[in-house]
Amino acid sequence: MKNITLHTLAQMKQEGKKFSCLTAYDACFSQLVSEAGVEVILVGDSLGMVLQGNDSTLPVSVEEMAYHTACVKRGNQGALIMADLPFMSYATVEQAMDNSAALMQAGAHLVKLEGAAWLSDTISALSDRGIPVCAHLGLTPQSVNKLGGYKVQGRENDAAQAMIDDAIALEQAGAGMLLLECVPSVLAKAITDAVTVPVIGIGAGVDTDAQVLVLHDMLGITPGRRPKFVKNYMTDGRTIPEALAAYASEVSDASFPGPEHGFE
Ligand code: KIV
């Protein structure tokens, strides 16, 4: 795979081609995921739950994110690497700049942060300094205590309109990509149509420009109950590389996610 850039992904959106994203936290899976043709690797702060066994992403530090980003960089074969700014690491513009610099120097090509239009100044400051940003809207796991749990967001008309307005404001502030988590499929389509930057979805229906899943979920090795939006690809005797390739192919031809993976 040739090196994927944000420009590649913007062009794919313009051409109506879908791209895929998976989390990875180490060199071995980074190599397998990128060799499977997955365009974007997310070094997600989900590692706090998946790797560290915490019950939320809140304990994850910038140092841990930088360590895993550096591991992913070493295995990567041309995918775009996106790294999460963890909880409270972008509470001020200064902190966002320092901590984004640490992730970019570890090997990220862009950073992701969670929040709405209140992040506009932060996103402008990062973008002006050459750091591309993805803004994560909808269910934002770092705010789980305020949200009162891992719940679908944007179901009421006011909340849905506010999310559309936030998405437009964040694009205007300089966000190069958006990510929507657990929002009604109709709302995710409206947001995807309202902005020119690529939109990645998880639990957001088939009409976003791209899909993301947590690697361990789609490999069927996450203990406990599987969220509705997850599909286990380790079926039919597939090997891990075959499962990763099946995911990339199903995202590309829009056969994943199905209606059963989305929310109304
Ligand atoms: O941290 C993560 O893995 C994420 C995805 C769930 C989108 O943010």
Side-chain angles (χ1 to χ4, degrees), residues 23 42 44-46 84 112 136 179 181 202 212 214:
T23 67
L42 170 62
D45 61 356
S46 51
D84 269 339
K112 176 163 80 60
H136 183 150
L179 188 148
E181 178 165 354
I202 176 167
V212 60
V214 169

Side-chain angles (χ1 to χ4, degrees), residues 6 8-21 39-40 171 176-180 185 187-202 204-212 247-248 250-254 256-257:
L6 254 189
T8 319
L9 303 178
Q11 191 141 356
M12 287 180 80
K13 173 168 181 143
Q14 273 179 18
E15 292 170 3
K17 294 184 184 155
K18 294 194 182 280
F19 62 90
S20 52
C21 174
E39 283 88 355
V40 182
E171 175 175 35
M177 191 142 73
L178 300 180
L179 188 148
L180 302 177
S185 305
L187 173 58
K189 177 172 174 18
I191 293 174
T192 305
D193 292 345
V195 297
T196 61
V197 295
V199 178
I200 304 179
I202 176 167
V206 72
D207 290 314
T208 53
D209 303 306
Q211 299 293 327
V212 60
Y247 168 73
E250 288 191 10
V251 172
S252 171
D253 69 16
F256 175 78

Side-chain angles (χ1 to χ4, degrees), residues 204-227:
V206 72
D207 290 314
T208 53
D209 303 306
Q211 299 293 327
V212 60
L213 284 177
V214 169
L215 177 69
H216 295 57
D217 288 347
M218 59 81 71
L219 293 179
I221 54 173
T222 307
R225 201 172 63 86
R226 199 171 69 205

Side-chain angles (χ1 to χ4, degrees), residues 230-245:
V230 171
K231 176 170 176 183
N232 179 0
Y233 281 86
M234 287 297 282
T235 54
D236 307 323
R238 284 184 185 131
T239 62
I240 289 176
E242 286 166 353
L244 299 173

